[in-house]
Amino acid sequence: MLNLYRFFSSLPLLFVTLDLYNDGVDGTASKSDIDKHLEMGKQLLAAGQLADALSHYNAAIEGDKKNYQSYFRRATVYLAMGKSKFALPDLDKCIDLKPDFTSARSNRASVLLKQGKLQEAKRDYEAILTVISNDAEAKAKLDVITPLQQSVEAIEYHLQRGEYEPAIQHLSYAIEHCPWNIDLRNKRADAYLKTGQPRKAIDDLKPASKLIPDNTEAYFKLSTLHYGLGDLEEALITIRECLKLDPDHKECFPHYKKTKKLNKQFESAQEFMNQGRYDDAIEKLHSTMKTEDKVPAYIQRAKQRICTCHSKNKNAQEAITVCTELLESNEEDLDALIDRAEAYIANEQYEEGVNDYQKAINIEENQRTKEGFERAKKLLKQSKKRDYYKILGVPRNANKRQIIKAYRKLAQQWHPDGYSGEEKKKAEDMFINIAAAKEVLTDPEMRKRFDSGEDPLDPEQQKNQGNPWGQPFNPFGSGGFNFKFHFN
């Protein structure tokens, strides 16, 4: 209903508009028609309907090419649309028709100042003062233009001598008042690059790429800067803008092909990691370092993920080697510290694991680092007690089949029925430990608890949690060995 109401309420305006256009079909328009177009344009401009307002001002100018108000109002619309390039000719025409029209001069001077055309802007502000001697805005702008001109001279002086920091200070002052000047932004971008500030250079080049039509050079430069910083996705987006303007651009096209290939390799590696296919991910990550072997950001990214893959895949020694290499170049690489800590734990180097998690907490204390630190400490403490993996002689990543196979072999070897005297007592103890190890490591829930640093069969640890056995584990029960044992 609301939409219908809006439609019908706009009908009178629509009919007036159609009527005005029909009146001007023969290419002539009366003063009354032109006034109506100007009034309609004013109403539409106030309502924010810029394109419709522009149509009316176009019609007004077509009807009378010597009406300065029509040019001024159309320029106003262009400025509201952010199209200063189109506004300037209309302001020029308006001032030609009425030189003492200070509003047009003020608007033109403002545009010229933002474009960095200081001398032209100065002439307009001085002209305003000849008409309105106390115009505060014109006086204020003239007070700004003189030091701006001095800054522009200082910019060239410092750049010619390679003095980039003072040049940047003067450039920043100039850009503050002349934000649409491409030359100033390009010079500051170059100065930022000379002083090792590429991200600030990007901030200048982005608006520069928009201010000049078909600016393939700016898009190429932007893309290569993003690429060099490791912003692969942004580099790809930007280089596509260059190719929209020129699909066969001699620099943009080969850069696009390489960037796209590298991005695809990293995406494929991430997909493999998400699927738990760590060996495939490692292979794909090695291929990224062949595609790009010079930019440190991508080599670092590949090695970080290889470190993670080895750690997740329980390739402890390989993970330790790669993660250590990463930490040698950046000792505060949080992910590398955590991955190496997990690799140390998988390799039963618990003290080293605790130390790495402590370093990680010092960098960033969060749930991940705190939980890892507590688990590493538990495992260190546990390692000084009973280790079910060591009892069965299997690695920590052993599957259930390997565990049962090791258990059967050891159970046959240490069954108490095969011993007598003092040896029988030792065999009983060994057999109890072997059976306990098999019980814990073949039960997913108990194995998970053991891997987190808790012994599910330790009575002391179960006091506050409840021991499902009710007493210390003993496969022989409470009375002698009157049972038949099955190796299952």
Side-chain angles (χ1 to χ4, degrees), residues 463-487:
K463 279 180 183 177
N464 297 325
Q465 301 177 36
N467 185 354
W469 298 95
Q471 59 184 1
F473 176 77
N474 184 346
F476 303 123
S478 58
F481 304 121
N482 52 349
F483 64 89
K484 273 192 173 182
F485 189 85
H486 299 280
F487 299 104

Side-chain angles (χ1 to χ4, degrees), residues 329-356:
S329 60
N330 178 15
E331 61 183 14
E332 294 196 350
D333 187 329
L334 186 63
D335 288 330
L337 270 172
I338 292 172
D339 287 332
R340 188 173 72 172
E342 290 298 324
Y344 277 137
I345 289 169
N347 213 34
E348 300 179 10
Q349 294 173 257
Y350 302 112
E351 288 188 12
E352 289 86 346
V354 169
N355 291 338
D356 271 359

Side-chain angles (χ1 to χ4, degrees), residues 238-486:
T238 308
I239 203 64
R240 282 176 175 147
E241 293 299 317
C242 175
L243 293 176
K244 285 179 185 177
L245 300 171
D246 182 358
D248 300 316
H249 194 281
K250 64 179 182 179
E251 291 176 311
C252 292
F253 186 67
H255 178 64
Y256 166 73
K257 286 180 68 178
K258 183 177 182 180
T259 305
K260 182 181 178 183
K261 178 181 179 181
L262 188 61
N263 188 58
K264 182 63 178 176
Q265 288 172 330
F266 274 114
E267 285 181 346
S268 297
Q270 189 59 54
E271 287 176 12
F272 286 139
M273 290 176 72
N274 295 342
Q275 296 166 10
R277 295 167 58 184
Y278 297 112
D279 289 334
D280 291 331
I282 290 168
E283 183 180 349
K284 187 63 70 174
L285 289 164
H286 278 296
S287 69
T288 67
M289 291 189 283
K290 293 178 182 177
T291 300
E292 180 51 78
D293 60 354
K294 292 182 177 64
V295 179
Y298 301 117
I299 296 170
Q300 188 83 352
R301 185 191 298 190
K303 287 183 176 179
Q304 283 172 336
R305 295 183 183 182
I306 289 171
C307 162
T308 299
C309 287
H310 280 309
S311 183
K312 296 281 188 185
N313 215 24
K314 305 300 181 185
N315 302 329
Q317 198 54 57
E318 291 90 339
I320 291 167
T321 300
V322 179
C323 296
T324 299
E325 186 179 338
L326 282 168
L327 290 164
E328 285 172 354
S329 60
N330 178 15
E331 61 183 14
E332 294 196 350
D333 187 329
L334 186 63
D335 288 330
L337 270 172
I338 292 172
D339 287 332
R340 188 173 72 172
E342 290 298 324
Y344 277 137
I345 289 169
N347 213 34
E348 300 179 10
Q349 294 173 257
Y350 302 112
E351 288 188 12
E352 289 86 346
V354 169
N355 291 338
D356 271 359
Y357 265 120
Q358 181 63 69
K359 291 176 185 176
I361 284 177
N362 293 340
I363 296 169
E364 183 180 331
E365 186 172 352
N366 55 36
Q367 184 176 353
R368 184 185 178 198
T369 54
K370 286 192 292 186
E371 288 180 355
F373 181 59
E374 291 303 319
R375 181 167 50 83
K377 286 198 298 183
K378 282 183 181 180
L379 289 167
L380 176 60
K381 183 179 179 181
Q382 181 190 87
S383 69
K384 297 173 181 177
K385 296 181 179 180
R386 182 164 57 174
D387 188 331
Y388 296 125
Y389 291 104
K390 286 185 177 178
I391 289 170
L392 294 183
V394 295
R396 295 187 77 87
N397 61 349
N399 57 37
K400 186 173 182 179
R401 183 177 178 182
Q402 291 171 308
I403 290 166
I404 291 174
K405 182 179 178 181
Y407 160 72
R408 286 174 175 169
K409 180 179 177 181
L410 291 170
Q412 287 178 326
Q413 180 183 340
W414 290 100
H415 196 283
D417 288 351
Y419 297 84
S420 60
E422 291 295 324
E423 291 294 315
K424 189 176 183 73
K425 180 67 174 71
K426 180 182 177 182
E428 288 175 5
D429 291 340
M430 279 296 298
F431 193 80
I432 288 172
N433 285 334
I434 292 163
K438 180 254 186 184
E439 191 67 30
V440 170
L441 299 183
T442 56
D443 182 289
E445 182 58 34
M446 284 200 285
R447 184 175 180 178
K448 182 179 179 182
R449 288 165 61 190
F450 182 74
D451 286 344
S452 68
E454 175 191 338
D455 187 345
L457 302 184
D458 185 340
E460 291 184 13
Q461 291 189 21
Q462 305 309 310
K463 279 180 183 177
N464 297 325
Q465 301 177 36
N467 185 354
W469 298 95
Q471 59 184 1
F473 176 77
N474 184 346
F476 303 123
S478 58
F481 304 121
N482 52 349
F483 64 89
K484 273 192 173 182
F485 189 85
H486 299 280

Side-chain angles (χ1 to χ4, degrees), residues 112-228:
L112 292 170
L113 180 58
K114 288 178 181 178
Q115 291 179 341
K117 297 176 180 177
L118 302 182
Q119 198 57 40
E120 294 175 48
K122 184 179 180 180
R123 282 197 294 268
D124 267 341
Y125 285 123
E126 288 173 342
I128 291 170
L129 291 176
T130 62
V131 179
I132 308 174
S133 59
N134 63 343
D135 189 290
E137 183 185 1
K139 287 182 177 181
K141 293 297 184 182
L142 284 172
D143 288 341
V144 167
I145 288 174
T146 299
L148 270 175
Q149 289 173 322
Q150 293 170 351
S151 273
V152 170
E153 291 176 4
I155 288 164
E156 296 306 320
Y157 175 85
H158 289 301
L159 288 178
Q160 286 172 8
R161 286 159 180 75
E163 298 166 355
Y164 298 109
E165 288 297 345
I168 288 171
Q169 291 177 8
H170 284 289
L171 281 161
S172 297
Y173 174 71
I175 290 169
E176 181 184 347
H177 295 282
C178 311
W180 299 345
N181 188 284
I182 305 298
D183 184 56
L184 291 174
R185 287 192 178 275
N186 284 333
K187 285 177 178 176
R188 189 170 67 173
D190 288 338
Y192 278 138
L193 291 175
K194 295 286 187 182
T195 54
Q197 303 178 77
R199 292 209 177 274
K200 288 186 176 181
I202 287 172
D203 290 339
D204 270 338
L205 289 170
K206 278 185 176 178
S209 68
K210 304 291 185 185
L211 289 169
I212 296 180
D214 301 337
N215 198 350
T216 55
E217 181 184 349
Y219 284 122
F220 176 70
K221 192 170 185 178
L222 266 174
S223 182
T224 54
L225 282 173
H226 280 301
Y227 185 90

Side-chain angles (χ1 to χ4, degrees), residues 76-92:
T76 303
V77 174
Y78 280 134
L79 290 174
M81 297 171 81
K83 297 181 177 182
S84 59
K85 177 183 175 182
F86 297 99
L88 270 180
D90 277 356
L91 291 169
D92 291 342

